[in-house]
């Protein structure tokens, strides 16, 4: 399976913070925001990842992440000149996807939960068409919403409905088979001139090949698109990390535990961070694994 992180957009709701820097490069706790969606793809076992961003930010992402080889991954980069809808990611990333299934994660979404890796791996294993991830919210009218029947089968999708028939928001993580490229290419832009991800999902739903995985209690889904939600996400991450002594979305740790790198490589990556608390954590982790 291939992975895509959509890190484009102008971040208008976060201005002036985003006047000079991409939203997904802003810090959440002690790491850049993009570390969180990258860790999701890694936990799903995905090693070949395309990062889609604005033209001005490509070199900044390259400087931060390189080609991914240090983490046992492969990063490539593509540009989205103007925000033209989430589904445009599949048009831009068509060559990257090829004949493989693909996972798309939005660059400003944070997922966390003790069993999240197992949920992801099972969803990848059972993929047959499209898998969406739902999360219960108190204000579903602000989100894409999935409606299910009594058995949990997905039966309807609505984009920011005035009268939601469900409180299950569709999160910014999506799994698709390779047909998604042709589906996206044949979409008509919405009235706001964008290729809508909900329209892609409706095609799969009409074909009877869309499934919703509910992220219930014990999971956290955070969207960091506003100043308030950015602060809340940082507070959530910092509180958990300080109380538990572990780090959320530490890419070096995920790579080590997934077997993408060995302990010696992990230690070297930690030492490259200098005397930062993050680097010291990575070095200590490597030592625990024999480096």
């Amino acid at each position: 399976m291939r992975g895509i992180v959509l890190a484009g957009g102008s971040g208008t709701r976060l201005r002036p913070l985003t006047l000079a820097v991409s939203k997904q490069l802003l810090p959440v706790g002690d790491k850049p925001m993009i570390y969180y969606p990258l860790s999701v793809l890694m936990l799903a076992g995905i090693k070949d990842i395309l990062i889609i961003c604005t033209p001005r930010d490509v070199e900044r992402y390259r400087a931060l992440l390189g080609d991914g080889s240090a983490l046992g991954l492969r990063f490539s980069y593509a540009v989205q000149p103007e925000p033209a809808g989430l589904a445009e990611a599949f048009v831009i990333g068509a060559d990257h996807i090829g004949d493989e299934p693909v996972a798309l994660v939005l660059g400003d979404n944070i997922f966390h939960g003790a069993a999240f890796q197992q949920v992801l791996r099972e969803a990848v294993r059972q993929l047959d068409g499209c898998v969406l991830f739902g999360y219960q919210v108190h204000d579903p009218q602000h989100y894409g919403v999935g409606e299910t029947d009594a058995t949990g089968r997905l039966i309807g999708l609505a984009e920011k409905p005035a009268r939601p028939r469900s409180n299950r928001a569709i999160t910014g993580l999506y799994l698709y088979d390779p047909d998604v490229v042709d589906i996206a290419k044949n979409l008509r832009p919405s009235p706001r001139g964008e290729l809508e991800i909900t329209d892609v999902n409706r095609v799969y739903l009409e074909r009877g090949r869309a499934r919703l995985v509910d992220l219930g209690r014990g999971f956290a889904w955070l969207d960091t698109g506003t100043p308030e939600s950015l602060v809340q996400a940082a507070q959530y991450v910092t509180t958990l990390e300080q109380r538990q002594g572990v780090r959320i979305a530490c890419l070096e740790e995920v790579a080590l535990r997934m077997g993408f790198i060995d302990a010696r490589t992990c230690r070297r990556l930690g030492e490259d961070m200098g005397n930062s608390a993050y680097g010291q954590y990575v070095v200590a982790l490597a030592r625990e694994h024999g480096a």
Side-chain angles (χ1 to χ4, degrees):
M1 175 174 276
R2 303 294 171 85
I4 296 177
V5 178
L6 184 56
S10 53
T12 54
R13 292 182 298 167
L14 281 167
R15 290 182 178 176
L17 292 172
T18 52
L19 286 175
V21 66
S22 168
K23 170 174 62 177
Q24 292 84 6
L25 291 173
L26 294 175
V28 178
D30 61 354
K31 61 193 76 68
M33 187 187 300
I34 197 171
Y35 274 38
Y36 297 87
L38 282 173
S39 71
V40 169
L41 298 180
M42 293 169 67
L43 287 171
I46 298 170
K47 301 176 70 174
D48 198 340
I49 299 171
L50 174 67
I51 298 165
I52 299 177
C53 59
T54 64
R56 74 170 187 176
D57 294 314
V58 172
E59 293 310 314
R60 294 170 181 168
Y61 282 108
R62 289 188 192 275
L64 174 67
L65 301 169
D67 63 3
S69 59
L71 294 168
L73 307 173
R74 179 185 175 188
F75 292 149
S76 53
Y77 301 86
V79 300
Q80 185 183 40
E82 298 291 337
L86 306 186
E88 192 187 31
F90 306 115
V91 179
I92 295 172
D95 290 340
H96 170 72
I97 297 168
D99 296 325
E100 297 288 329
V102 61
L104 171 68
V105 61
L106 304 188
D108 61 358
N109 276 215
I110 294 175
F111 296 84
H112 181 250
F116 194 42
Q117 181 180 352
Q118 290 83 352
V119 170
L120 287 173
R121 298 303 291 266
E122 187 67 12
V124 169
R125 188 183 68 82
Q126 295 185 2
L127 177 62
D128 179 21
C130 162
V131 175
L132 309 175
F133 295 85
Y135 191 82
Q136 182 172 313
V137 296
H138 73 277
D139 53 350
Q141 67 273 15
H142 298 303
Y143 302 91
V145 173
E147 181 186 357
T148 59
D149 62 16
T151 67
R153 182 174 63 91
L154 184 65
I155 59 173
L157 292 164
E159 183 64 29
K160 297 181 180 178
R163 297 181 178 178
R165 301 181 66 176
S166 164
N167 62 357
R168 290 183 181 87
I170 302 299
T171 70
L173 173 63
Y174 317 85
L175 308 181
Y176 299 100
D177 67 12
D179 291 347
V180 71
V181 174
D182 288 335
I183 292 172
K185 286 181 176 179
N186 286 289
L187 288 181
R188 291 185 177 181
S190 67
R192 61 177 183 168
E194 297 190 357
L195 300 182
E196 305 288 353
I197 197 76
T198 299
D199 290 338
V200 171
N201 298 335
R202 285 198 184 105
V203 172
Y204 280 100
L205 182 61
E206 291 167 0
R207 295 178 179 179
R209 300 183 64 217
R211 186 167 69 91
L212 182 68
V213 174
D214 227 2
L215 299 177
R217 293 186 178 184
F219 289 93
W221 170 54
L222 304 169
D223 179 342
T224 56
T226 67
E228 295 78 14
S229 60
L230 183 63
V231 170
Q232 290 169 1
Q235 290 173 337
Y236 174 85
V237 169
T238 302
T239 298
L240 280 183
E241 290 185 343
Q242 289 180 348
R243 289 185 178 181
Q244 297 181 355
V246 297
R247 274 179 160 72
I248 299 172
C250 173
L251 299 187
E252 295 80 4
E253 179 174 13
V254 177
L256 177 62
R257 296 193 185 281
M258 292 295 296
F260 299 163
I261 60 174
D262 59 23
R264 181 177 299 178
T265 301
C266 183
R267 177 165 181 165
R268 177 177 54 79
L269 292 173
E271 290 172 345
D272 288 345
M273 299 286 180
N275 292 323
S276 70
Y278 184 97
Q280 292 172 2
Y281 175 84
V282 173
V283 170
L285 178 73
R287 287 174 177 160
E288 290 175 7
H289 285 74

